[in-house]
Amino acid sequence: MTQFPDLTSFSFEAVLTILGMAAVTYGMRLGGLLMADRLPQHGRWAHVLERLPGAVLISVWVPSALSAGAIGIAGAAATVITMAVARNLFAAMAVGMVLVGVGRYFIGN
């Protein structure tokens, strides 16, 4: 019989890790709020900063889709097409996830 780990107690290292991650997350958010007034509002750099979140998202998303094989590529394509047609982020994400889930269920990984 498989023994499950005890999830009712935390080690000191786990608590420190969680607190450290919380501090870094809060610090990033606070830093963003404090720096927002200093960022350029017009010009080339404002345009670059406006496009940056999409570029970061794509840099994470594309390798993940490619490493998932044909099903991942089909899911990514379905997401992009749905977003282009419907202009609805939730619908696009749902279509891509359902396609990948159904594909993995019936075809395999």
Side-chain angles (χ1 to χ4, degrees):
M1 186 160 146
T2 304
Q3 186 132 21
F4 293 105
D6 179 21
L7 300 176
T8 59
S9 62
F10 294 103
S11 67
F12 181 69
E13 292 85 9
V15 172
L16 279 180
T17 301
I18 292 169
L19 290 175
M21 290 169 35
V24 168
T25 300
Y26 180 75
M28 293 295 289
R29 289 177 181 246
L30 183 63
L33 287 173
L34 295 174
M35 294 294 293
D37 292 340
R38 294 191 171 104
L39 294 174
Q41 302 298 319
H42 305 288
R44 176 180 283 169
W45 282 109
H47 183 72
V48 168
L49 292 174
E50 202 173 276
R51 301 288 184 249
L52 189 60
V56 171
L57 182 63
I58 288 174
S59 71
V60 172
W61 182 59
V62 169
S64 176
L66 292 176
S67 69
I71 295 171
I73 294 168
T79 301
V80 169
I81 291 167
T82 305
M83 188 64 190
V85 171
R87 301 271 187 214
N88 185 327
L89 181 60
F90 179 75
M93 290 172 45
V95 166
M97 290 187 330
V98 166
L99 183 73
V100 170
V102 168
R104 285 184 177 171
Y105 181 80
F106 286 110
I107 297 172
N109 204 1

